[in-house]
């Protein structure tokens, strides 16, 4: 429990604070619309008025937050500024996309409540206008018919219908546009679409511009109206409600009430984040104009290409990633790629596996589909934005490290292991890390043969320097066919592994994490072990549970600190 608090306590606290603010805003604004100022509005609408306005306040708050987690340059600045704080503080920045999704779900929820409540409101506004009797709702709806200045019912005629109101009133039209944009953004963000049709997700997500324009102008029409403060002084609604048929007549103490709409408030909530995001895009545009030189394109097996690049002033840390754009393919699309080079190298590199339309076009643009040598001046122009920080860049802050990569999730660790290789090559005595346990889970190692080559280089380097115990690595093949099984059996007795060419033999199946944690805990008592994962959420849950289970409650015992990147 103590280690769960260490690993997740601050994250849970942040989420609880966020939920608490949402709950406070909802209750506060629900009560606000129960005040005397909206007494006559509630005569027309009942409590549906509060049910519409309370989620609107929560929408403003969450629309203020949702852009901040995707301001990556801001997060990188904060990450650098937070290095003086504990790791638990900087870890909160690693969950930026998770928080972005949570806020999006909250926006969707409050939008649904807001829309449903306003559907009832418009129906009751219409009913009051069509009443055509001497009832109080009808009398309230007729106020302002002469000068149209001080009215309560925004539907000013009985010659209309809810559909016409929705598409002719500014509030209705902007609300419909914002809702459609939100629906398209959320549905296109589903994992099956994001992974299979990334371009659909990418372009549709930019409908946030329509969404924000819609919510900013949504309140300009001032549909929600209440009695003015000056009017309440001379017309107390609780006392004058019984005299509504004589309002404004001679010898009456109750003049006709005056009404005014609420001023639009959304812009006050979102102007700050929108400005920050605009700065983010300007920085991205500026970076996209900076010259990037493609120094080498290397074709690896299984249709994987390595781009080695140079850019003036580019500085990176291990485990970071960049966004890449190829203007000859698309002027708008930016795709994230993890850096596979080490900070010690004079260039930076990415490994790209050809799995979709964009990567296939890049493969062809780089001339990788041709057998002849491609001249440098024929290579496509590349734009780079970044680098941006991840959890993995803190790996060298721990004496003992566990690296767990699943499939393509092994990519961030290429940079880490390369940096280890360079540091040992140059006898770097400032290396805090004394032991690395590396686990690689993959369905087919052929797809990542370039990584096996890196491990071979690192293995030979460690053997030459007598530091073979520094890196303990385990490669797990989780899927194989009968022909592969026969090949493994025949070559099993060879000195090097038949799959990877490493001296460490490939293991088959999945690791027994309980045994692995027990072994590491017994080998390193009294140590804070940093576990870094890049893999699916299911694996993250399993490892997170093991971190908490195998951490010692004694402050002098072993503690597993969980850091993750989900893909």
């Amino acid at each position: 429990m103590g280690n769960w608090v260490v690993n997740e306590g601050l994250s849970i606290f942040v989420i609880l604070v966020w939920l608490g603010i949402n709950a406070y805003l909802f209750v506060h604004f629900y009560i606000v619309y129960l005040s005397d100022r909206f007494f006559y509005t509630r005569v027309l609408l009942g409590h549906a008025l509060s049910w519409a306005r309370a989620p609107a306040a929560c929408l403003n708050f969450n629309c203020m937050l949702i852009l901040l987690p995707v301001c990556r340059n801001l997060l990188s600045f904060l990450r650098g500024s937070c290095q003086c704080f504990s790791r638990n503080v900087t870890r909160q920045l690693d969950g930026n996309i998770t928080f972005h999704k949570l806020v999006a779900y909250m926006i969707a929820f409050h939008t649904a409540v807001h829309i449903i409540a306003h559907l009832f409101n418009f129906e009751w506004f219409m009913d009051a206008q069509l009443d055509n009797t001497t009832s109080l709702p009808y009398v309230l709806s007729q106020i302002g018919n002469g000068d149209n200045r001080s009215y309560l019912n925004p539907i000013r005629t009985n010659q209309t219908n809810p559909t016409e109101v929705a598409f002719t009133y500014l509030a209705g039209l902007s609300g419909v546009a914002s809702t459609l944009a939100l629906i398209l953004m959320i549905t296109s963000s589903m994992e099956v679409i994001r992974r299979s049709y990334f371009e659909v997700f990418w372009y549709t997500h930019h409908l946030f511009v329509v969404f924000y324009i819609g919510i900013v102008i949504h309140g300009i029409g001032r549909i929600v109206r209440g009695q003015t403060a000056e009017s309440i002084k001379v017309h107390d609604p609780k006392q004058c409600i019984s005299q509504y048929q004589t309002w404004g007549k001679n010898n009456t103490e109750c003049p006709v009430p005056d009404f005014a709409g609420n001023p639009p408030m959304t812009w006050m909530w979102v102007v700050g984040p929108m400005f920050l995001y605009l700065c983010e895009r300007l920085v991205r545009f500026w970076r996209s104009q900076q010259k990037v030189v493609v120094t080498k394109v290397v074709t690896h097996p299984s249709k994987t290409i390595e781009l080695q690049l140079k850019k003036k002033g580019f500085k990176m840390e291990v485990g970071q990633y960049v966004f890449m754009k190829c203007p000859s393919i698309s002027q708008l699309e930016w795709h994230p790629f993890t850096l596979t080079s080490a900070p010690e190298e004079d260039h930076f590199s990415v490994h790209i596996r050809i799995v979709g339309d964009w990567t296939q076009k890049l493969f062809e643009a780089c001339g990788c589909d041709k057998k002849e040598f491609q001249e440098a001046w024929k290579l496509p122009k590349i734009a780079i934005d970044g680098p941006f920080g991840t959890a993995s860049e803190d790996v060298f802050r721990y004496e003992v490290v566990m690296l767990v990569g699943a499939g393509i999730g092994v990519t961030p660790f290429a940079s880490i292991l390369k940096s280890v290789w360079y540091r040992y090559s140059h006898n770097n005595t400032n290396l805090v890390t004394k032991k690395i346990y590396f686990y690689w889970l993959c369905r087919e190692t052929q797809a990542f043969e370039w990584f096996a080559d890196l491990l071979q280089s690192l293995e030979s380097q460690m053997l030459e320097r007598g530091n073979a115990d520094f890196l303990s690595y385990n490669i797990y093949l989780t899927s194989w066919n009968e022909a592969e099984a026969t090949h493994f059996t025949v070559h099993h007795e060879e000195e090097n592994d038949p799959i990877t060419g490493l001296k460490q033999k490939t293991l088959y199946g999945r690791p027994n994490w309980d045994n692995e944690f027990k072994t590491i805990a017994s080998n390193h008592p009294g140590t804070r072990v940093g576990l870094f994962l890049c893999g699916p959420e299911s694996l993250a849950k399993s490892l997170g549970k093991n971190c908490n289970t195998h951490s010692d409650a004694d402050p002098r015992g072993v503690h597993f600190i969980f850091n993750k990147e989900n893909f």
Side-chain angles (χ1 to χ4, degrees), residues 129-353:
Q129 191 65 258
L130 295 175
D131 197 352
N132 207 17
T133 65
T134 58
S135 66
L136 177 58
Y138 180 75
V139 171
L140 289 170
S141 298
Q142 302 311 303
I143 294 175
N145 275 352
D147 53 22
N148 207 30
R149 287 179 299 176
S150 176
Y151 61 88
L152 179 61
N153 191 335
I155 299 179
R156 307 305 303 139
T157 174
N158 57 11
Q159 304 297 319
T160 186
N161 58 73
T163 303
E164 183 178 341
V165 170
F167 289 96
T168 57
Y169 283 52
L170 181 61
L173 189 60
S174 60
V176 169
S178 295
T179 303
L180 289 177
L182 181 64
I183 291 173
L184 289 173
M185 284 190 291
I186 291 178
T187 54
S188 66
S189 300
M190 296 172 61
E191 185 174 358
V192 62
I193 295 180
R194 193 176 69 252
R195 291 188 180 276
S196 303
Y197 306 98
F198 184 82
E199 292 83 359
V200 174
F201 158 75
W202 178 260
Y203 288 118
T204 306
H205 230 59
H206 283 76
L207 287 173
F208 79 91
V209 176
V210 175
F211 175 77
Y212 269 90
I213 292 175
I215 63 173
V216 167
I217 67 175
H218 186 60
I220 293 179
R222 304 194 179 196
I223 293 294
V224 177
R225 305 176 71 81
Q227 195 173 354
T228 64
E230 293 75 13
S231 177
I232 291 179
K233 294 177 181 178
V234 297
H235 180 111
D236 186 345
K238 292 181 180 179
Q239 295 180 3
C240 295
I241 186 173
S242 60
Q243 307 174 39
Y244 71 90
Q245 291 183 338
T246 61
W247 286 349
K249 296 182 179 179
N250 294 333
N251 301 321
T252 181
E253 296 179 355
C254 297
V256 176
D258 290 328
F259 300 99
N262 286 346
M265 301 291 291
T266 301
W267 69 271
M268 298 175 65
W269 290 83
V270 302
V271 65
M274 290 175 70
F275 175 75
L276 288 175
Y277 190 78
L278 177 61
C279 293
E280 175 84 9
R281 298 309 294 249
L282 290 175
V283 169
R284 174 170 290 187
F285 175 77
W286 173 67
R287 283 180 170 174
S288 69
Q289 303 304 307
Q290 293 178 323
K291 185 177 181 180
V292 177
V293 179
V294 182
T295 58
K296 185 185 290 186
V297 179
V298 182
T299 305
H300 293 281
S302 303
K303 253 192 153 180
T304 298
I305 61 172
E306 175 187 357
L307 298 184
Q308 295 185 8
L309 311 157
K310 285 188 177 182
K311 180 180 178 181
K312 185 177 179 181
F314 188 91
K315 295 181 180 179
M316 62 165 287
E317 298 292 337
V318 293
Q320 293 186 325
Y321 68 98
V322 296
F323 273 83
M324 178 186 296
K325 180 177 76 170
C326 183
S328 62
I329 299 175
S330 173
Q331 288 286 346
L332 299 177
E333 288 185 44
W334 290 84
H335 292 262
F337 294 101
T338 301
L339 292 167
T340 54
S341 53
E344 292 82 2
E345 295 180 290
D346 62 353
H347 65 274
F348 62 98
S349 65
V350 294
H351 283 71
I352 303 171
R353 193 177 179 201

